[in-house]
Amino acid sequence: MTISNHLMGVDIGAGSVKTTIISADGRVVGDASMEIATRHPKPGWTEQDPDDWYVAMCATVPRALREAGLSGADVAAVSFSAGAHTPVLLDEADRPLRPAILWSDQRSGAEARHLSERHGEMILATGCNQPNPTWTLPQLAWLQKHEPDIGRKTRKLMVAKDYLRFRLTGEWHTDRTDAIGTLLYDAGNDCWSREICDLINWRLDTLPPVVSPTDIIGTVGSRAAAETGLAVGTKVVCGTSDTSIESFGAGAVESGAGCVKLATAATVSVVAAAPTIHSTLINYPYAVPGLWYTIVATNSCASAHKWLRDSVFAATDDRAFAHYDRAAADIAAGSEGLLFHPYLNGERSPYWDPLLRADFIGLTMSHGQAHLTRALYEGIAYSLRDCLSALRAQGLDMSEARIVGGGSKSALWRQIVCDVLAMPISMPAVTDASFGAALLAGVGAGVFADEISAARACVGIAARHEPDPASAATYTEMFGIYKDAQSRLADINHRLHHVAVGG
């Protein structure tokens, strides 16, 4: 019998689930995606139904197999990725107790402030990160206060990708990256932290065993095989969080490598030999063993573009992105004095302020849709430069970066990021997290010797950008105005928030 070297990766994105199948040389032979609903029951709340993820996987796996001309038996292994921090809480019958609270949810701001003010130093020293509403710890603190029955009924806590793997195998695990992402983990002692869990009265027995991203965690069971089209006994590899797996899948596999991500949120990350512990930075163990990656992030990126397209331009056609992108390319760098702060959902790095608000500054009668689009691209790039400054302040830097995420498909946006950051940018041939997950599946199944071998064998570069000196000079001037305006408007943002909530 011929042993298949085809590999599958499944990623839960902000608005869809995507399945990708690759060959052993990294060629994408089949893929499929399906949208999933995101619900906003109250302002600042963001939730998804975990069972919607599974329904989407059951739909996309057969479609990807058909596109590839393969059967389930042709897949050697499957692995997973998803956004960090998103808790799935199961009852004694292994059913989700409530919708999953996403990383972008802002409801736990008060709990995050309380934990930071009273226990921030201990949490930072133990978990390598500072509490804010993105993390699972404050989310669980909010649940303990507002939905205490959920905590009492919880028997298993999973992070998003782990729920899909659990549905395939019945096995309950997570990897160290997602464990750190809960902010319940003791990084130094490589175990769940009783001290942190006790801060919110969370039980240690609800937390999963922790393994490596490339560990095989069971095989596909008979029911899951019937529902997905995978073969019974297919190897299932743990996987890891999306930002780690995207950077790995982009070929950033050595210390000092940088990566920029233009997705629902935007990030700048650098690979290093150890975490850099500081309240302005985010630290995770990396997909490549022995390395860490440090992230700085802005909350709104492609989500801001979708907001502009849908809510401001009222153009929901899928072709609208390309139309506005082409029009924005005709506008000069600096958008004729129009400036955008992308704080539509508060902000993370470097301000860590959920009350900041977005704005367009400098509007005149001469500005139109193309200016607004370009100013949005530029504003997110300024925010990334702001983020990069937080890395540099702690002695971390990069001389060039790989760029990934849905926004990277725009050549204009890539060049703007290149010019604003004033560094060369390279876009891999495949930028999807599901591609990186498939590579990890190959490492776990023994198709590749290790993570670095997998990346070097399979990652290609589709485009390179060098900074344009004239545009870079314009953006340096505009970035100074961006920073000045941010500091002057912060208090006004807070006052507007209190008016909006009636405080």
Side-chain angles (χ1 to χ4, degrees):
M1 182 178 68
T2 301
I3 299 175
S4 174
N5 283 342
H6 287 99
L7 305 161
M8 179 178 288
V10 181
D11 173 64
I12 305 171
S16 64
V17 169
K18 182 164 188 177
T19 295
T20 296
I21 303 171
I22 66 171
S23 59
D25 59 1
R27 289 182 299 110
V28 174
V29 297
D31 60 23
S33 63
M34 178 177 172
E35 290 189 359
I36 47 177
T38 300
R39 299 170 180 86
H40 305 278
K42 294 184 179 181
W45 291 26
T46 311
E47 299 182 342
Q48 290 178 354
D49 184 342
D51 287 330
D52 287 350
W53 306 335
Y54 186 69
V55 169
M57 181 174 72
C58 291
T60 58
V61 168
R63 285 166 49 199
L65 287 168
R66 285 195 299 272
E67 182 177 292
L70 301 173
S71 71
D74 294 316
V75 176
V78 58
S79 190
F80 301 87
S81 69
H85 318 298
T86 300
V88 181
L89 306 174
L90 304 189
D91 64 15
E92 60 185 9
D94 290 334
R95 295 173 300 206
L97 283 159
R98 70 174 323 282
I101 299 174
L102 301 191
W103 60 266
S104 54
D105 190 286
Q106 296 293 303
R107 77 184 70 184
S108 60
E111 288 74 20
R113 286 192 297 274
H114 174 85
L115 288 164
S116 185
E117 290 167 0
R118 298 198 177 189
H119 311 287
E121 290 186 8
M122 181 274 287
I123 295 171
L124 181 62
T126 303
C128 300
N129 295 284
Q130 187 75 15
N132 70 79
T134 292
W135 300 86
T136 313
L137 171 64
Q139 295 169 358
L140 296 179
W142 185 93
L143 287 173
Q144 293 288 60
K145 180 178 180 180
H146 297 279
E147 300 178 13
D149 283 350
I150 297 296
R152 286 193 289 269
K153 293 177 181 177
T154 297
R155 295 296 177 267
K156 293 183 178 73
L157 182 152
M158 301 181 180
V159 185
K161 71 164 193 324
D162 303 319
Y163 181 67
L164 286 187
R165 200 183 57 252
F166 175 75
R167 291 292 299 264
L168 288 186
T169 67
E171 299 291 336
W172 175 43
H173 298 78
T174 197
D175 69 294
R176 286 174 179 80
T177 301
D178 270 338
I180 290 287
T182 66
L183 208 52
L184 301 171
Y185 201 69
D186 184 334
N189 292 307
D190 197 20
C191 63
W192 296 106
S193 170
R194 179 175 295 279
E195 187 176 9
I196 293 179
C197 289
D198 285 349
L199 296 177
I200 61 169
N201 297 315
W202 196 263
R203 302 192 319 276
L204 282 174
D205 64 0
T206 66
L207 303 175
V210 178
V211 299
S212 296
T214 55
D215 282 354
I216 295 174
I217 308 300
T219 59
V220 174
S222 57
R223 178 175 178 178
E227 293 172 338
T228 64
L230 290 167
V232 173
T234 302
K235 295 175 182 177
V236 180
V237 173
C238 180
T240 190
S241 77
D242 57 357
T243 303
S244 176
I245 220 162
E246 284 164 336
S247 298
F248 160 64
V253 294
E254 297 175 348
S255 184
C259 193
V260 173
K261 176 180 175 180
L262 302 180
T264 300
T267 63
V268 181
S269 59
V270 62
V271 180
T276 299
I277 309 301
H278 192 271
S279 60
T280 63
L281 305 179
I282 304 170
N283 294 278
Y284 298 103
Y286 194 34
V288 179
L291 296 175
W292 285 67
Y293 68 109
T294 300
I295 301 178
V296 279
T298 180
N299 272 345
S300 300
C301 180
S303 55
H305 186 274
K306 186 177 187 300
W307 163 83
L308 183 72
R309 185 196 70 187
D310 297 353
S311 299
V312 180
F313 297 165
T316 58
D317 190 290
D318 288 341
R319 294 170 295 180
F321 181 97
H323 169 75
Y324 294 119
D325 188 74
R326 287 192 299 271
D330 293 330
I331 306 301
S335 299
E336 297 181 17
L338 183 61
L339 192 64
F340 176 68
H341 289 97
Y343 311 143
L344 287 161
N345 198 29
E347 187 54 296
R348 284 188 280 175
S349 303
Y351 305 108
W352 299 104
D353 187 346
L355 306 188
L356 291 184
R357 290 183 164 223
D359 57 60
F360 283 100
I361 298 175
L363 276 168
T364 71
M365 292 291 286
S366 65
H367 291 121
Q369 290 179 333
H371 295 86
L372 292 171
T373 302
R374 185 171 187 118
L376 183 138
Y377 286 176
E378 292 172 345
I380 292 164
Y382 297 143
S383 188
L384 289 171
R385 180 164 170 169
D386 219 0
C387 289
L388 182 59
S389 68
L391 285 175
R392 288 172 171 163
Q394 302 308 316
L396 295 169
D397 206 352
M398 61 193 76
S399 58
E400 59 182 276
R402 301 288 171 94
I403 190 165
V404 300
S408 69
K409 293 181 173 70
S410 165
L412 172 63
W413 206 348
R414 294 197 305 267
Q415 187 62 51
I416 287 172
V417 170
C418 175
D419 292 338
V420 170
L421 299 185
M423 70 171 65
I425 297 288
S426 298
M427 183 180 71
V430 185
T431 64
D432 297 314
S434 52
F435 173 77
L439 291 183
L440 275 191
V443 177
V447 174
F448 307 115
D450 52 40
E451 291 81 356
I452 293 176
S453 299
R456 288 178 175 168
C458 297
V459 177
I461 299 299
R464 300 183 188 273
H465 296 262
E466 295 287 337
D468 174 72
S471 295
T474 297
Y475 287 139
T476 294
E477 181 179 5
M478 289 291 289
F479 179 66
I481 300 171
Y482 174 96
K483 289 283 289 180
D484 191 22
Q486 188 284 323
S487 64
R488 293 175 184 232
L489 289 172
D491 180 63
I492 292 173
N493 289 167
H494 292 178
R495 290 159 59 191
L496 288 170
H497 168 79
H498 291 301
V499 170
V501 300

